[in-house]
Amino acid sequence: MKITEHISGADKTLFSFEILPPLKGASIKELFASIDPLMAFQPSFIDVTYHREDYVLKKRADGSYDRISTKKRPGTVAICAALQNHYKIDAVPHLICGGFSKEDTENALIELSFLGIDNILALRGDNRKEDAHFEPENNGNKNALDLIHQIQNMNAGIYLDEEISNSNESNFCTGAACYPEKHADAPNMESDLKFLKRKVDAGAKFLVTQMFFNNQHYFNFVESCRSAGITVPIIPGIKPITTRKQLSILPKLFHMDIPFALTNEIDQCKDDKQIADIGVAWAIEQCKELIANGAPVLHFYTMGKSTQTKKFKLLSLKIFVQQQTFCRSL
């Protein structure tokens, strides 16, 4: 079922989660054990992230080093298939540009189509740690816009090999990322919105925001999107703070602001348990306001830690949502 169909058929705010693939060597049972607690909240879909290859240095006997490519979290396509088979829930794979040639992307799309996966979140992806700037693969898509074009071509039965006849048309519902506080690479919000509009015009049917801690950023962003002619659903991303170190790590990694009122409360905490309580309380208030203002879905970034997610008191939020209806203004 497509994300847009989930949203259009709902009369209440929906829930979704984003998970990390397990580290190489972990079993599927470990993955299910981490997801099982989340299923009590009846998510409409689960996102599965993709992490491009990185490089490690392996020492030789002579003291020199080999630079070896490695993927620490492989298996996104297989994980999505496992989720849909085991939980009977829609899985949304993240498809990125980095590390993929266009042919690699086409092959991944074919596999996803064979597996009956209806939705894709199309992303440029992050830089490798040692790269100062994003470097696409040779003959790969340079950005999310290029990737969306390729997905839409396959939806129209257009493959890289022009000699393919009677080609199958895929039917993916493609989503894209958006940034209420501006993408780190964008010179200003106006430019960011201009590029976002191009992604929507190219075929993105829904948007998922980067995490934010000030709802006004989201509300202002949605208003700006609507003024720019972007009419697709905009799903807010939520991540409760649970440790002190996240105050410095999250802004650095995700280029977003944490309000002083929140950091000031956390500064007075004695341990991470108190911090988690404050972070959860802040997130609950965020969610209540988002629901009241018609957010179509609450999308939770679990960072691969379902035990923390369970502590976020989503059950109380779920009960709250079940008592609410929302307008379609967002």
Side-chain angles (χ1 to χ4, degrees):
M1 187 173 178
K2 297 180 178 180
I3 302 304
T4 50
E5 294 171 336
H6 279 289
I7 293 172
S8 64
D11 61 358
K12 301 176 180 67
T13 297
L14 305 176
F15 288 88
S16 63
F17 299 95
E18 181 172 303
I19 64 169
L20 296 172
L23 290 168
K24 187 180 292 186
S27 74
I28 196 70
K29 292 181 180 179
E30 292 177 60
L31 174 66
F32 290 158
S34 70
I35 294 175
D36 284 345
L38 303 178
M39 301 310 296
F41 310 121
Q42 300 180 355
S44 296
F45 55 92
I46 297 177
D47 276 31
V48 182
T49 65
Y50 189 95
H51 292 257
R52 72 177 299 178
E53 84 288 354
D54 224 325
Y55 290 102
V56 296
L57 296 177
K58 188 172 182 179
K59 193 172 183 178
R60 295 175 176 174
D62 63 4
S64 61
Y65 288 87
D66 286 323
R67 189 168 178 259
I68 298 174
S69 175
T70 181
K71 290 183 179 179
K72 295 182 179 180
R73 296 181 182 271
T76 296
V77 172
I79 290 168
C80 287
L83 291 179
Q84 294 202 158
N85 179 64
H86 187 75
Y87 294 110
K88 311 304 179 187
I89 188 173
D90 284 303
V92 184
H94 290 195
L95 200 57
I96 65 174
C97 300
F100 283 80
S101 68
K102 290 181 181 180
E103 184 175 4
D104 293 333
T105 297
E106 182 172 274
N107 291 336
L109 290 169
I110 290 170
E111 291 181 8
L112 292 168
S113 182
F114 285 167
L115 290 168
I117 290 173
D118 297 323
N119 305 283
I120 292 172
L121 192 65
L123 307 166
R124 187 197 70 178
D126 297 327
N127 306 343
R128 282 184 293 246
K129 293 179 181 178
E130 69 275 12
D131 293 336
H133 306 285
F134 176 79
E135 295 290 341
E137 199 73 9
N138 289 334
N139 194 33
N141 292 305
K142 297 179 180 178
N143 50 46
L145 178 61
D146 288 346
L147 178 54
I148 291 169
H149 280 304
Q150 183 172 3
I151 297 169
Q152 292 305 111
N153 280 342
M154 278 200 61
N155 280 352
I158 301 171
Y159 288 68
L160 296 175
D161 184 350
E162 296 178 357
E163 295 182 3
I164 292 178
S165 59
N166 300 318
S167 55
N168 177 66
E169 296 180 359
S170 57
N171 190 27
F172 293 115
C173 177
T174 307
C178 58
Y179 303 85
E181 299 173 69
K182 186 183 78 62
H183 190 281
D185 293 346
N188 50 64
M189 180 58 80
E190 290 77 12
S191 296
D192 204 18
L193 285 171
K194 182 179 179 180
F195 189 74
L196 183 61
K197 178 67 161 55
R198 291 171 65 191
K199 290 195 285 188
V200 172
D201 290 345
K205 302 300 184 185
F206 65 95
L207 302 172
V208 182
T209 77
Q210 181 59 273
M211 67 180 72
F212 57 88
F213 296 89
N214 182 342
N215 283 354
Q216 196 58 50
H217 289 314
Y218 173 75
F219 297 138
N220 292 343
F221 178 73
V222 172
E223 183 177 353
S224 296
C225 285
R226 301 309 183 222
S227 297
I230 298 170
T231 60
V232 299
I234 301 175
I235 298 171
I238 306 298
K239 168 68 176 82
I241 288 178
T242 56
T243 65
R244 191 180 303 278
K245 65 181 181 181
Q246 289 175 344
L247 294 182
S248 57
I249 291 175
L250 294 178
K252 182 178 180 180
L253 289 179
F254 301 107
H255 308 282
M256 30 63 60
D257 178 69
I258 300 177
F260 175 74
L262 177 54
T263 62
N264 193 43
E265 281 193 73
I266 290 174
D267 284 342
Q268 300 174 47
C269 292
K270 297 179 180 178
D271 53 39
D272 280 347
K273 182 182 181 304
Q274 290 183 348
I275 292 172
D277 288 342
I278 289 173
V280 166
W282 186 279
I284 288 175
E285 292 307 310
Q286 272 193 271
C287 291
K288 287 181 178 180
E289 185 179 28
L290 289 166
I291 292 167
N293 283 273
V297 183
L298 298 179
H299 184 68
F300 290 89
Y301 293 107
T302 70
M303 312 299 277
K305 299 176 181 177
S306 64
T307 53
Q308 285 189 1
T309 304
K310 198 169 181 69
K311 293 178 182 178
F312 296 163
K313 302 179 183 177
L314 289 182
L315 184 57
S316 64
L317 283 173
K318 178 186 170 188
I319 293 171
F320 182 83
V321 171
Q322 288 175 338
Q323 297 171 345
Q324 306 299 314
T325 59
F326 62 89
C327 64
R328 297 290 182 178
S329 61
L330 297 186

